[in-house]
């Protein structure tokens, strides 16, 4: 009998063969979930920015007077000097695990500010994870003609704009105590006229 006369049979174990399709599908799903997670994490980066609060505003020794007994936290009375320049220094703390880049800083002082911004200071400012850096904000005393001598402007925070890994953010940082700047009498405000209605405060 030759081999050609024999019945040839083949057997295989169904359990030993694992279809490739479910594995590919599982890998594809894992990849999609990972990509979606990265996209979502990148989109939420601005909400993860954490900056230290209650920073102590730094001003020159002759710029004014710190009164610790004023209110609950004290106050700094800033002395108006028409057209003089003053620089506010603020220690900014990055309390997060990612580096920050601060590109803009401002204090809210209306249309005609007593403290008029003078340049960008040391911006842009980069702060590493869990690090601190000093922000410099230069100002010029101006626009006293628009403020009544019994008025007072209070600065208790700075508004910051910047980015983290390419995503923009906006964040306010509170001062440890407020900085207060009073309006000036006519003798200390060269631009003011004797006619009070010329520069009414409500026109700011």
């Amino acid at each position: 009998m030759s081999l050609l006369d024999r019945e040839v049979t083949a057997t295989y174990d169904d359990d030993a063969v694992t279809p490739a399709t479910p594995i590919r599908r599982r890998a594809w799903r894992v990849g999609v979930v990972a990509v979606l997670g990265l996209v979502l994490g990148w989109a939420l980066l601005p909400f993860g920015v954490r900056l230290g609060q209650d920073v102590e505003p730094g001003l020159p020794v002759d710029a004014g007077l710190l009164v610790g007994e004023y209110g609950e936290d004290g106050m700094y009375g800033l002395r108006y000097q028409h057209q003089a320049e003053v620089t506010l220094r603020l220690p900014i703390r990055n309390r997060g695990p990612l580096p920050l880049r601060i590109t803009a800083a401002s204090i809210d002082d209306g249309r005609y500010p007593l403290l008029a911004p003078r340049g960008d200071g040391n911006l842009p400012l980069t702060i590493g994870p869990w690090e601190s850096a000093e922000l410099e904000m230069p100002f010029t005393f101006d626009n006293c003609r628009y403020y009544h001598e019994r008025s007072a402007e209070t600065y208790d925070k700075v508004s910051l704009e910047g980015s983290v890994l390419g995503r923009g953010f906006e964040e306010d940082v509170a001062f440890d105590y407020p900085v207060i700047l009073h309006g000036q009498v006519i003798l200390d405000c060269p631009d003011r006229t004797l006619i009070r209605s010329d520069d009414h405060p409500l026109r700011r």
Side-chain angles (χ1 to χ4, degrees):
M1 179 182 294
S2 67
L3 293 176
L4 296 178
D5 296 330
R6 295 182 179 179
E7 183 179 358
V8 179
T9 61
T11 61
Y12 61 89
D13 187 354
D14 291 341
D15 296 333
V17 179
T18 303
T21 301
I23 296 179
R24 286 196 296 268
R25 288 178 179 174
R26 191 178 303 112
W28 181 81
R29 291 172 182 171
V30 170
V32 170
V33 171
V35 171
L36 290 177
L38 290 174
V39 172
L40 181 61
W42 184 79
L44 295 177
L45 279 176
F47 299 98
V49 173
R50 294 292 180 268
L51 299 177
Q53 299 294 320
D54 299 327
V55 302
E56 183 175 354
L59 288 159
V61 176
D62 59 349
L65 180 65
L66 177 63
V67 183
E69 295 78 15
Y70 182 90
E72 295 182 1
D73 303 315
M75 59 83 72
Y76 188 94
L78 188 60
R79 181 166 61 93
Y80 184 92
Q81 304 175 68
H82 192 62
Q83 294 299 306
E85 299 175 353
V86 64
T87 297
L88 175 65
R89 291 180 167 83
L90 301 168
I92 305 299
R93 302 190 304 273
N94 178 6
R95 300 174 58 188
L98 298 174
L100 305 177
R101 181 178 173 86
I102 297 176
T103 56
S106 62
I107 56 176
D108 185 13
D109 199 11
R111 182 179 178 185
Y112 299 107
L114 280 172
L115 283 177
R118 179 177 55 86
D120 295 327
N122 62 341
L123 294 177
L125 182 64
T126 300
I127 310 177
W130 297 291
E131 293 182 353
S132 298
E134 186 175 72
L135 171 66
E136 297 179 1
M137 300 180 65
F139 296 96
T140 299
F141 293 103
D142 203 358
N143 297 309
C144 58
R145 63 182 295 180
Y146 299 105
Y147 292 79
H148 192 278
E149 58 267 21
R150 290 189 295 272
S151 67
E153 296 297 297
T154 300
Y155 312 102
D156 56 8
K157 65 181 180 180
V158 59
S159 298
L160 303 176
E161 297 180 20
S163 63
V164 51
L165 297 183
R167 287 283 292 157
F169 73 87
E170 297 180 5
E171 188 82 9
D172 289 343
V173 172
F175 294 172
D176 189 35
Y177 46 80
V179 176
I180 298 178
L181 180 58
H182 282 276
Q184 300 298 298
V185 298
I186 192 171
L187 294 178
D188 297 325
C189 184
D191 292 342
R192 177 173 290 169
T193 70
L194 292 173
I195 303 175
R196 186 179 297 276
S197 61
D198 285 347
D199 306 307
H200 197 282
L202 294 181
R203 294 180 182 173
R204 289 188 283 137

